Amino acid sequence: METLPAPRPTQIPRSTAIRPPCATPFSRADWQTTCAAILATTSTTNAKAYGAPRVNDDSIKPALSDHAAQPLDLDLLPVSNLPRPLTITDLSPAPMHGSQLRVAYQGVPGAYSEAAAAKAYPSCDAIPCDQFEVAFQAVELWIADRAVLPVENSLGGSIHRNYDLLLRHRLHIVGEVQLPVHHCLLALPGVRRDLLTRVISHPQALAQCELTLNAMGLNVAREAFDDTAAAAEHVAAAGLRDTAAIASSRAADLYGLQVLADGIQDDAGNVTRFVMLAREPIIPRTDRPFKTSIVFAHDREGTSVLFKVLSAFAFRDISLTKIESRPHRHRPIRLVDDANVGTAKHFEYMFYIDFQASMAEVRAQNALSEIQEFTSFLRVLGSYPMDMTPWEYSSSGQTAGDTSSS
């Protein structure tokens, strides 16, 4: 096998030699000529040793003349086919208006959580989930971009299941939505009230309408269902002419039911608060009201730790909007030895707190830094804009909510 001779070092023609830095600066013609001469000399040498180089199956064709270099025909790909560089728009988070976002919620179409998702992210693609846990997993598995789930109701209190799931999963709270409750009594077309023998709905919805149902003279059986919209769907699908459902007016439109009574909630001030969850937190700001949610635990005796936590906020004039305790799932019982009394058993608690401040504020950062010194566990669930929209009491299912979220 014949061995090819090694190519000789490239020699630049004397007429196009590179000038020292102290010389007169190159003109554009000099720069083009020098580059072309270097490429031509290198290409010629390599062509003799290894064959002419090829780009897109064509040989490179040098065309040179002293100080009159012609453009090289490299037959390269069109510029339009090359990858486009990333811009700041590509790195920006999803639009806040909800366009093209996939938002998971618990329930079926017509659920109050669907209305909350529509308010939080207009024009979003709402994805119904049969359980709260499924909505969390949908976001974690990239099936959905956001989740909108209820966390508390002004009458029914906290929805403990979702607080437990917030601690179990690693999603972040990125916003909140508050919706007034507006329940309707729904039945099949043509059904009269005096024909009803049963009313079904979510347990919280039944409790929120108890006084109104009694005032209407409906002395009927009341049975709990998974959620309000699913109750309406069941009445329609099964053709139950002796059963009514408590749900939103939107559920009536979706499942072909008639509204026997509108606005049957006992308290007009019944409001449900939903949170929006995402895989990544948002950047806290100070140009608008923010709320921050945290959870912490302590392994010390007495109430002194809780007092210190509250003092850290009070000292910095930070208002609390919520404080909730939940038994520690992994350590629900703590044993305390006392020589005089004996062995006592106490519950271990996790504390959930919402306060009105952004994590971009120094006072909030200092408060959490102080709290961290005497707690065994501290986690920020999210720092997010407060829902400042006024409550609108309307018959539309799009402006209603309940503790069942559906």
Side-chain angles (χ1 to χ4, degrees), residues 124-143:
C124 71
D125 181 14
I127 302 175
C129 303
D130 60 351
Q131 301 176 29
F132 293 130
E133 175 85 22
V134 175
F136 275 85
Q137 293 179 354
V139 179
E140 290 180 329
L141 298 177
W142 294 75
I143 299 174

Side-chain angles (χ1 to χ4, degrees), residues 164-170 297 326-334 346-350 352 377 379:
D164 292 340
L165 291 174
L166 280 172
L167 190 60
R168 181 182 304 176
H169 295 268
R170 300 299 298 182
R326 293 284 294 155
H328 199 305
R329 295 181 61 89
H330 300 293
R331 293 188 304 168
I333 301 295
R334 180 178 74 239
H346 299 281
F347 283 102
E348 287 278 5
Y349 288 99
M350 307 288 292
Y352 294 84
F377 168 78
R379 176 178 161 191

Side-chain angles (χ1 to χ4, degrees), residues 13-70:
R14 187 179 302 274
S15 61
T16 59
I18 298 177
R19 303 182 184 183
C22 59
T24 303
F26 277 161
S27 65
R28 180 174 180 85
D30 293 336
W31 176 80
Q32 289 179 332
T33 302
T34 301
C35 293
I38 295 174
L39 179 61
T41 307
T42 305
S43 301
T44 304
T45 304
N46 291 338
K48 292 179 179 179
Y50 304 105
R54 305 176 67 86
V55 177
N56 294 350
D57 296 328
D58 289 329
S59 300
I60 294 179
K61 306 171 184 178
L64 301 174
S65 63
D66 199 15
H67 296 283
Q70 299 294 328

Side-chain angles (χ1 to χ4, degrees), residues 40-113:
T41 307
T42 305
S43 301
T44 304
T45 304
N46 291 338
K48 292 179 179 179
Y50 304 105
R54 305 176 67 86
V55 177
N56 294 350
D57 296 328
D58 289 329
S59 300
I60 294 179
K61 306 171 184 178
L64 301 174
S65 63
D66 199 15
H67 296 283
Q70 299 294 328
L72 299 178
D73 182 10
L74 300 180
D75 193 19
L76 297 175
L77 289 173
V79 176
S80 60
N81 293 341
L82 297 178
R84 180 181 61 84
L86 290 177
T87 65
I88 190 63
T89 305
D90 300 318
L91 304 178
S92 300
M96 291 303 296
H97 60 273
S99 176
Q100 299 181 349
L101 280 182
R102 298 163 298 174
V103 181
Y105 68 93
Q106 188 273 330
V108 298
Y112 289 126
S113 283

Side-chain angles (χ1 to χ4, degrees), residues 23 31 87 138 161 163 181 229 268 302 308 389 392:
W31 176 80
T87 65
R161 175 60 175 164
Y163 274 99
V181 170
K308 292 177 181 177
T389 57
E392 297 179 1

Side-chain angles (χ1 to χ4, degrees), residues 106-107 110-116 132 148-157 159 162 177-184 201-209 225-231 246-248 265 270-274 397 399-406:
Q106 188 273 330
Y112 289 126
S113 283
E114 184 189 35
F132 293 130
V148 175
L149 298 172
V151 290
E152 62 179 332
N153 175 263
S154 58
L155 297 182
I159 301 176
N162 283 338
V177 173
Q178 297 182 359
L179 294 172
V181 170
H182 193 98
H183 290 312
C184 300
S201 191
H202 187 273
Q204 289 288 349
L206 291 172
Q208 293 166 7
C209 302
F225 215 78
D226 291 339
D227 53 63
T228 57
I246 297 177
S248 68
Q265 62 277 358
N270 190 357
V271 178
T272 298
R273 175 174 169 249
F274 296 80
T399 59
D402 70 357
T403 56
S404 68
S405 81
S406 49

